[in-house]
Amino acid sequence: EVQLVESGGGLAEPGGSLRLSCAASGFTFSNAWMNWVRQAPGKGLEWVGRIKSKTDGGTTDYAAPVKARFIISRDDSRKTVWLQMDSLKTEDTGVYYCASHYTSWHWGQGTLVTVSS
Amino acid sequence: DIQMTQSPSTLSASVGDRVTITCRASQSINSWLAWYQQKPGKAPKVLICKASSLESGVPSRFSGSGSGTEFTLTISSLQPDDFATYYCQQYDSSPYTFGQGTKLEIK
C-alpha cells in the first residue's frame, strides 16, 4: 500500500523558515516524481513544485509565488522528500500535501503551516 | 502557464442523478489530466488519471473522458457519498495547474 506521511508543519513568523518532510513507502520511490501541493484555508488546490526522479535528471520546478524562496530535495535511500520554505509570508499559510507521480498519483494527508506574527 | 477552467463552479443534484463536470485547458495537454474528489478537512482522493483511467478502488459510476483541451468527469448515478468538491489537474507541463473546483451539493 502506498503511503506518504508529511511532517514538520507548525507556526512560523513572517520572514521565518520551516522544513517539511514527506516519508514514502509502498512503492519504488526512486522512480517517482515528487510534488508538493498546498491549499490555503477555504481555497482551492495550488501546485507548489516538483522534483523529478534521478533517472529523469532530478531537476526541480516551482510555482511562481514560491520560486527563490522554497527548495525541494530528495533522498532516495531514505525514501524522503523535503520542502525547505524560507522567507515565509502570511499567504503561505495552508495545508501542504506531498504527492507522488509515477504511473498514477498518490497523496499524503497533509501538514498544516501557519505563518503569522 | 496552462489555465484550467472547470464548470460549473457549483452543481446541485439529487441521489440517482447523472452529472457531468467539464474541465477545459488553455492549450493541449494530450491526456495528462487527473480528477480528484475532496471532502472537508480531508486530503484529495485520486479518482482518475490520464483522463480516463479509473484508479483502483474507485467505483465504476465514475468515468472520465476527453483529450487535448476538453475533458469531462461523469458520475452515472449519484450516491450520498459523492457530495464533495471535485478538481481537475493538468500534469502535461510545469507548472502543473488545477481547476478552481466544482462543489457538488445535494438538491
Side-chain angles (χ1 to χ4, degrees):
Chain A
E1 180 195 1
V2 173
Q3 275 203 312
L4 296 168
V5 179
E6 301 93 337
S7 60
L11 177 63
E13 292 189 343
S17 298
L18 278 176
R19 190 192 197 205
L20 307 184
S21 299
C22 171
S25 61
F27 65 103
T28 307
F29 181 81
S30 60
N31 288 344
W33 293 16
M34 299 301 297
N35 298 258
W36 288 94
V37 178
R38 68 184 180 183
Q39 187 169 35
K43 302 297 184 182
L45 300 168
E46 179 185 24
W47 182 80
V48 170
R50 170 200 70 199
I51 185 165
K52 295 183 179 180
S53 62
K54 293 271 193 305
T55 55
D56 289 321
T59 55
T60 52
D61 290 286
Y62 301 94
V66 307
K67 199 174 283 189
R69 298 189 298 122
F70 290 10
I71 296 173
I72 299 173
S73 58
R74 66 188 294 162
D75 184 333
D76 290 348
S77 66
R78 297 170 64 180
K79 298 184 180 181
T80 300
V81 61
W82 294 274
L83 177 65
Q84 176 67 42
M85 304 187 295
D86 297 324
S87 303
L88 282 164
K89 304 177 181 181
T90 55
E91 53 263 41
D92 295 320
T93 293
V95 177
Y96 283 70
Y97 297 100
C98 168
S100 68
H101 177 239
Y102 182 46
T103 54
S104 62
W105 285 87
H106 298 277
W107 289 51
Q109 289 307 299
T111 187
L112 177 62
V113 170
T114 303
V115 183
S116 175
S117 55
Chain B
D1 298 0
I2 298 175
Q3 308 301 316
M4 303 300 293
T5 304
Q6 243 180 279
S7 60
S9 297
T10 307
L11 180 56
S12 296
S14 301
V15 172
D17 285 354
R18 178 184 179 91
V19 299
T20 298
I21 298 169
T22 298
C23 189
R24 289 186 174 87
S26 60
Q27 65 189 68
S28 177
I29 57 170
N30 299 293
S31 294
W32 301 114
L33 185 99
W35 288 100
Y36 300 93
Q37 177 193 68
Q38 188 179 33
K39 296 182 179 180
K42 300 293 187 182
K45 174 186 176 182
V46 184
L47 301 174
I48 288 168
C49 289
K50 215 171 177 188
S52 60
S53 180
L54 199 66
E55 286 294 288
S56 175
V58 175
S60 59
R61 63 181 179 272
F62 291 91
S63 64
S65 65
S67 66
T69 62
E70 187 141 345
F71 302 86
T72 58
L73 172 70
T74 299
I75 309 172
S76 60
S77 178
L78 272 175
Q79 299 303 300
D81 190 51
D82 299 338
F83 293 95
T85 299
Y86 293 83
Y87 294 94
C88 61
Q89 177 205 13
Q90 70 81 17
Y91 53 103
D92 177 76
S93 61
S94 173
Y96 296 164
T97 41
F98 291 88
Q100 77 276 21
T102 295
K103 187 173 183 180
L104 181 52
E105 299 178 330
I106 300 174
K107 186 185 283 185

